[in-house]
Amino acid sequence: MLIIKRQRFIIVYQTFFGQKLKIMKKALTGFLLLAVISLHAQQKVIQLYNGPAPGSESWTWDEKQLDSNAWHTPVVYNVSHPTLTVFTPNPAVNTGTAVIVCPGGAFHALSINSEGNDVAKWLNQKGITAFVLRYRLAHSLTNDPVAELSSKTPKQTEEADRAAIPLGIADGRQAIAYVRQHATEYGISPSRIVIIGFSAGGTVAASSAYNYTPENRPDYVAPIYAYMPPELQGTIAADAPPMFLVAASDDQLGLAPHSIDLYNKWIASKHSAELHLYVKGGHGFGMRKQNIPTDHWIDRFGDWLDLQGLLKPIDPKIAAAMEKAALLRSQQDWPNLRRYAEQNDKIPPPAASEKRVVFLGNSITDGWIRSDSSFFAGKPYYDRGISGQTTPQMLVRFREDVINLKPAVVVILAGINDIAENTGPSKLEDVFGNIVSMAQLAKAEHIKVVISSVLPANHFPWRPSIVPTEKVIQLNQMLKDYADKNGIVYLDYYSAMVDSEKGLPKNLSFDGVHPTLAGYRIMEPLAEKAITEALKRK
């Protein structure tokens, strides 16, 4: 929900993974199957750009979420590092279609559930891989973007929008390019990429239908009650994508004519378009239930997807080619060395007095810079987390992402995804052995080591059949004993964050595994203290 002040009135806008590394041809097929299964239901977060996003390199504020506000729905704000959150369907029903979802929020916030995550979950039920885009927004100076936005004058709002809109549109284009480039990785077709957006997110989606390149051209576009005035439109190309539009006649922002205008122009240029204009629904209905016909707009969207052939499994020939490409990719870059290769090449040797630190890990480390970029700003700290990785993958990339950067200290945080069995069953001894091997490699290169405890966890949202509680405790004890015996600093996050149920409390984690900003704020002084201690040791 979003409150926007417009001249004479205030409008309510409703708006992981470990086993000992063995490369054997006989095991490859089984490994790939397990990898595909583990991907299902795991919400992976992808950094949209390698490094700072172009055009906002100086932005240092941190993304935050506000659950309790005047809109009565969770919102995300202060996005400075755009991301895609991946929602994967059951592999057995995967259609090979991808939909990028752009929540709305007047470019000041994102209605992350009713116009984002809830849409993605519905799409998963249809066999569609969904990518929820958190695009860049205007900077909120307070902790309540809802109240802040409603207090702005029209001029202030327009100035903020003028700066944010081009960046949001750029993020939409980059999201399409990313999904197309990584299509085989997610089992989707590069010619079945849909982008849907709501209100301001509809601006992002609709804008992608103009001035595109082969890399970022959407195959289908769905602006939902979009803000898309003529000045944001461009020339409709000969290969413009089919368009699906939804709006309500009683839209409080008066945006229904924007959808009608897009529809008329698409039809006049002899391109495919479908428009659903409801008598009642207001603005920002998203996935909310009002017990009126707009409750079922998503079903009409499903009908349209079906008519386009997007709910049917992809052509067997394409599927075979994708399977072959995925196999080749797994053989060639299983540890994902490409993720940081370009960034690593640009990093100069450390200065004589520089105390460089590399943070190596999985999604917990990967998400750290997005949640609290200020922790890394102005320091020789390098985040080398990769979402979903297990300890054998980290061990393989240890030289490229740690040793070659010549750090003074490496902070290793790993093991939780191994316990989750995302790449198959793992013995704790093997997980422990992989971490020890990384520590030994570091010591051989005169790099000080900090071994982190695994964070508390008593369940896995993506694998509910596994109860990790005791394995986390056992692995942490093994790591602590090794660190104590070998003069290595042991960084104990677990004791500082565990609750009475041996998990992460709700105020420190949004899913019981990944920290919130409050969680990272507990981790940060502990990490700083451990790094200082490691630098003192011989």
Side-chain angles (χ1 to χ4, degrees), residues 10 138 141-142 145 196 207 211 223 229 232 239 251 258 273 292 329 368 377 443 479 487 492 505 535:
I10 294 178
L141 301 176
T142 69
I196 184 172
S207 296
N211 303 316
L232 288 180
D239 64 343
D251 186 309
H258 291 212
I292 55 177
R329 180 180 180 277
W368 200 334
K443 292 182 74 173
L479 294 173
D492 187 5
L535 289 170

Side-chain angles (χ1 to χ4, degrees), residues 104-127:
F107 291 99
H108 282 68
L110 301 176
S111 181
I112 200 62
N113 283 350
S114 70
E115 296 177 348
N117 298 339
D118 294 345
V119 178
K121 293 172 184 176
W122 185 92
L123 291 166
N124 279 176
Q125 296 302 311
K126 298 293 184 180

Side-chain angles (χ1 to χ4, degrees), residues 169-436:
I169 292 173
D171 294 343
R173 298 187 196 281
Q174 180 67 15
I176 296 168
Y178 173 86
V179 172
R180 178 161 288 121
Q181 182 181 1
H182 295 268
T184 55
E185 179 179 340
Y186 298 101
I188 58 180
S189 168
S191 61
R192 300 178 80 167
I193 299 174
V194 185
I195 184 167
I196 184 172
F198 302 80
S199 193
T203 308
V204 174
S207 296
S208 71
Y210 302 95
N211 303 316
Y212 44 74
T213 67
E215 291 75 23
N216 61 30
R217 176 189 179 275
D219 298 302
Y220 304 88
V221 179
I224 311 300
Y225 44 82
Y227 170 73
M228 199 62 187
E231 56 267 28
L232 288 180
Q233 299 175 26
T235 301
I236 301 175
D239 64 343
M243 185 174 286
F244 176 88
L245 302 115
V246 175
S249 297
D250 64 343
D251 186 309
Q252 299 100 320
L253 297 182
L255 296 186
H258 291 212
S259 294
I260 296 171
D261 182 45
L262 285 172
Y263 174 80
N264 287 336
K265 288 178 178 176
W266 241 246
I267 294 299
S269 61
K270 302 189 184 305
H271 289 90
S272 175
E274 181 172 322
L275 170 65
H276 293 264
L277 192 60
Y278 293 92
V279 172
K280 185 177 181 181
H283 187 82
F285 42 84
M287 297 294 282
R288 293 185 304 110
K289 298 303 178 185
Q290 304 181 86
N291 296 317
I292 55 177
T294 49
D295 292 356
H296 305 289
W297 75 266
I298 191 74
D299 298 312
R300 305 292 74 78
F301 179 54
D303 294 340
W304 179 75
L305 292 172
D306 195 21
L307 283 173
Q308 308 298 324
L310 299 177
L311 299 187
K312 299 178 179 64
I314 56 177
D315 185 272
K317 293 181 180 179
I318 299 177
M322 287 169 50
E323 183 179 348
K324 182 178 179 180
L327 177 63
L328 183 62
R329 180 180 180 277
S330 295
Q331 291 173 322
Q332 292 179 337
D333 194 16
W334 176 66
N336 202 357
L337 299 175
R338 289 178 294 185
R339 168 68 187 276
Y340 291 108
E342 184 177 348
Q343 293 182 49
N344 290 344
D345 288 343
K346 296 178 180 178
I347 297 174
S353 60
E354 180 182 336
K355 302 300 181 183
R356 181 173 294 178
V357 180
V358 173
F359 289 78
L360 183 75
N362 47 45
S363 57
I364 295 172
T365 302
D366 200 0
W368 200 334
I369 193 169
R370 176 173 61 89
S371 296
D372 194 5
S373 59
S374 63
F375 177 66
F376 295 85
K379 303 171 186 173
Y381 288 178
Y382 293 87
D383 187 315
R384 288 298 179 265
I386 296 182
S387 180
Q389 285 218 330
T390 53
T391 55
Q393 290 171 300
M394 294 181 206
L395 180 56
V396 173
R397 67 181 177 92
F398 196 81
R399 179 165 297 280
E400 285 77 5
D401 287 347
V402 179
I403 294 174
N404 289 351
L405 300 187
K406 302 185 182 304
V409 179
V410 59
V411 180
I412 302 170
L413 173 55
I416 192 64
N417 290 334
D418 303 72
I419 293 173
E421 299 185 3
N422 285 25
T423 53
S426 303
K427 295 180 181 179
L428 284 185
E429 291 79 6
D430 292 338
V431 181
F432 168 72
N434 290 331
I435 296 173
V436 168

